[in-house]
Amino acid sequence: MELVSSNPKQKSVSESQWLDWKWQIQNRIKEEAELEEYIHLSSEEREALHSCAEVFSFSTTPYYLGLADPKDPNCPIRLQVIPRKEELHVRPWDRRDPLAEESHMPVKGVTHRYPDRALWYLSHVCAVYCRFCTRKRKVSQSFGTPGLEDWNDALEYFRNHSEIKEVILSGGDPLNLSDSKLDYLLGELKAIPHINQVRIHSRYPVTLPMRINSELCTVLRKHYPVYLITHFNHPKELTPLVKERIEMLAKEGAVTVLNQAVLLKGINNSVETLTELFYGLTKIGIKPHYLHQCDEVFGSSHFRVPIEEGVEIMKQIRGRISGLSVPLYVVDLTGGGGKVPLPANYLEETKSSSYVFRNYKGDLYEIGF
Ligand SMILES: *Cc1c(COP(=O)(O)O)cnc(C)c1O
Ligand code: SF4
């Protein structure tokens, strides 16, 4: 298999090490000196690496960093993982916990906002810390990670609340757990009669695709059906290794894979980039599900795209590509209001016995009722 990486380090590791997810985790890059072995840091990046260290940890897998352009600081991979000084800017709307997840927490590690769904945070660790992370208030810190006792409390809570139809394993990254722990958790959840479906939210298919291996697929297949929502933001992330492992998830793991992306300024806020991303995803068997407006988490205002711009981009995409490849653009309301769709408006006028629509080309059509 072709290894996609421009990084010099890869030459000094064997292919089996490189493809071992634990090797990738153990050899994560966290320091400036290591980073400079892969890319040429700009002075701004070097400065931000130090000034932002207290605010949110820096870490990346060698694999993911290998996708970065060593020369261009505005490379979409670099912008997602390397701190920028704007992270220190605090805007009036920015929140530590924009989605009020901590205040909808009946037991430690569970956010139960919508009556029928519960989000369960199983780990505070991720292989890569995304600079725009909504949970940067706690992700990357081992402090407060739910332990085994909390897991039992959470399972008891799910068993006692028959209105819960779905549990979403989240984090941090839930695929950071061992296969045997995942097997245990999925088994316990699937044994609860009122649980209709179980979903995993993970960025490991993007940042650590070697995590998807035959052992994991055996566990996921055993608990069929399992839905996995991943988080690709840019077509550069769709590598041959990703393609191989997503195919493995579907064929060996019998997993249904969907994607949620975040609309990010300077990374993917164009019709061309998102078209390539959405078509690239469906090409390898992933259904684009959501495109999120970037949450109002502290230090992320430099990533935020105006909602009008997002709506306009999605309107143009809708007319250009297959409906199967088009996700729903949504905003998760600051304060815990939940997700709201951000559709484009095509209805131009409502008359007494007809409606006037403007289609994706800008032409008017009148239909009766
Ligand atoms: C996003 C979210 C969900 C899942 O919502 P879907 O629209 O079903 O993807 C569930 N619970 C919480 C707290 C959420 O933020
Ligand atoms: S993978 Fe998810 S939880 Fe982890 S840092 Fe990125 S956005 Fe945050």
Side-chain angles (χ1 to χ4, degrees):
M1 195 209 56
E2 182 194 345
L3 288 174
V4 222
S5 171
S6 54
N7 84 66
K9 267 247 171 125
Q10 195 188 306
K11 296 193 178 71
S12 60
V13 304
S14 69
E15 183 172 328
S16 67
Q17 278 177 316
W18 183 258
L19 292 175
D20 175 356
W21 71 278
K22 290 187 174 151
W23 183 91
Q24 290 279 341
I25 293 262
Q26 281 153 10
N27 288 277
R28 278 181 300 170
I29 292 128
K30 296 176 174 174
E31 306 289 340
E32 178 186 333
E34 299 168 295
L35 194 48
E36 300 237 59
E37 288 175 32
Y38 291 78
I39 59 175
H40 178 68
L41 285 173
S42 68
S43 55
E44 201 203 318
E45 284 174 318
R46 200 172 299 121
E47 215 178 295
L49 211 52
H50 296 282
S51 58
C52 299
E54 290 286 295
V55 182
F56 186 40
S57 304
F58 161 74
S59 163
T60 172
T61 52
Y63 163 82
Y64 194 67
L65 187 60
L67 307 183
D69 184 328
K71 294 191 203 80
D72 178 12
N74 291 324
C75 153
I77 304 294
R78 279 167 79 150
L79 290 173
Q80 291 188 66
V81 295
I82 301 178
R84 288 297 177 105
K85 63 175 188 303
E86 288 85 349
E87 287 183 27
L88 299 171
H89 295 178
V90 180
R91 302 289 167 104
W93 281 97
D94 289 356
R95 298 283 178 272
R96 280 195 65 71
D97 179 12
L99 308 181
E101 293 172 330
E102 305 295 332
S103 54
H104 289 86
M105 200 167 274
V107 291
K108 190 170 162 189
V110 175
T111 296
H112 189 188
R113 169 170 310 127
Y114 302 107
D116 62 324
R117 284 159 278 177
L119 258 182
W120 194 7
Y121 314 110
L122 291 160
S123 152
H124 281 184
V125 177
C126 303
V128 167
Y129 293 120
C130 315
R131 304 320 300 174
F132 44 83
C133 179
T134 297
R135 299 195 185 120
K136 67 196 221 195
R137 66 180 182 280
K138 63 178 179 186
V139 159
S140 90
Q141 298 158 27
S142 55
F143 175 79
T145 307
L148 214 54
E149 204 146 295
D150 304 308
W151 287 11
N152 287 330
D153 291 347
L155 286 167
E156 202 49 31
Y157 182 82
F158 302 143
R159 287 185 199 108
N160 291 335
H161 286 78
S162 57
E163 73 276 22
I164 298 178
K165 301 285 180 271
E166 181 180 56
V167 174
I168 303 168
L169 309 189
S170 186
D173 210 301
L175 293 188
N176 205 61
L177 299 178
S178 66
D179 297 335
S180 60
K181 288 199 170 106
L182 286 166
D183 188 21
Y184 167 75
L185 292 170
L186 291 170
E188 292 296 311
L189 289 172
K190 291 268 174 168
I192 303 173
H194 55 264
I195 299 280
N196 190 69
Q197 61 211 44
V198 175
R199 175 175 6 159
I200 298 175
H201 279 189
S202 170
R203 210 172 181 219
Y204 278 8
V206 186
T207 58
L208 185 67
M210 38 296 266
R211 173 68 186 96
I212 300 159
N213 53 27
S214 291
E215 294 75 25
L216 176 65
C217 288
T218 304
V219 169
L220 297 174
R221 185 180 200 94
K222 180 173 155 195
H223 299 287
Y224 174 87
V226 170
Y227 295 85
L228 190 141
I229 318 279
T230 183
H231 182 178
F232 289 92
N233 286 328
H234 194 276
K236 266 188 105 163
E237 297 168 338
L238 299 169
T239 65
L241 181 64
V242 164
K243 179 177 184 292
E244 179 192 281
R245 301 303 166 110
I246 295 296
E247 187 173 334
M248 189 190 256
L249 261 183
K251 289 186 177 167
E252 285 185 38
V255 175
T256 301
V257 188
L258 301 101
N259 187 66
Q260 47 184 7
V262 182
L263 184 61
L264 297 164
K265 191 152 119 194
I267 295 175
N268 62 12
N269 61 324
S270 77
V271 172
E272 292 67 32
T273 305
L274 287 178
T275 297
E276 199 184 332
L277 175 67
F278 299 151
Y279 259 155
L281 288 165
T282 29
K283 185 170 186 187
I284 62 168
I286 304 176
K287 160 83 183 100
H289 179 50
Y290 280 146
L291 175 69
H292 286 266
Q293 176 68 9
C294 184
D295 292 330
E296 289 177 309
V297 61
F298 61 100
S300 72
S301 55
H302 56 301
F303 285 122
R304 230 163 287 138
V305 175
I307 287 181
E308 308 87 282
E309 184 186 330
V311 168
E312 187 51 39
I313 289 174
M314 287 309 293
K315 191 171 188 176
Q316 290 188 39
I317 287 177
R318 174 81 238 181
R320 282 163 62 124
I321 74 173
S322 161
L324 180 69
S325 304
V326 180
L328 186 65
Y329 180 35
V330 295
V331 58
D332 218 332
L333 299 175
T334 304
K339 291 182 193 66
V340 171
L342 296 170
N345 183 28
Y346 296 90
L347 182 61
E348 196 78 7
E349 196 185 344
T350 305
K351 296 186 177 174
S352 59
S353 64
S354 68
Y355 299 104
V356 181
F357 287 94
R358 191 177 290 279
N359 78 355
Y360 70 97
K361 284 184 181 164
D363 304 330
L364 292 175
Y365 286 82
E366 188 165 354
I367 64 165
F369 51 76

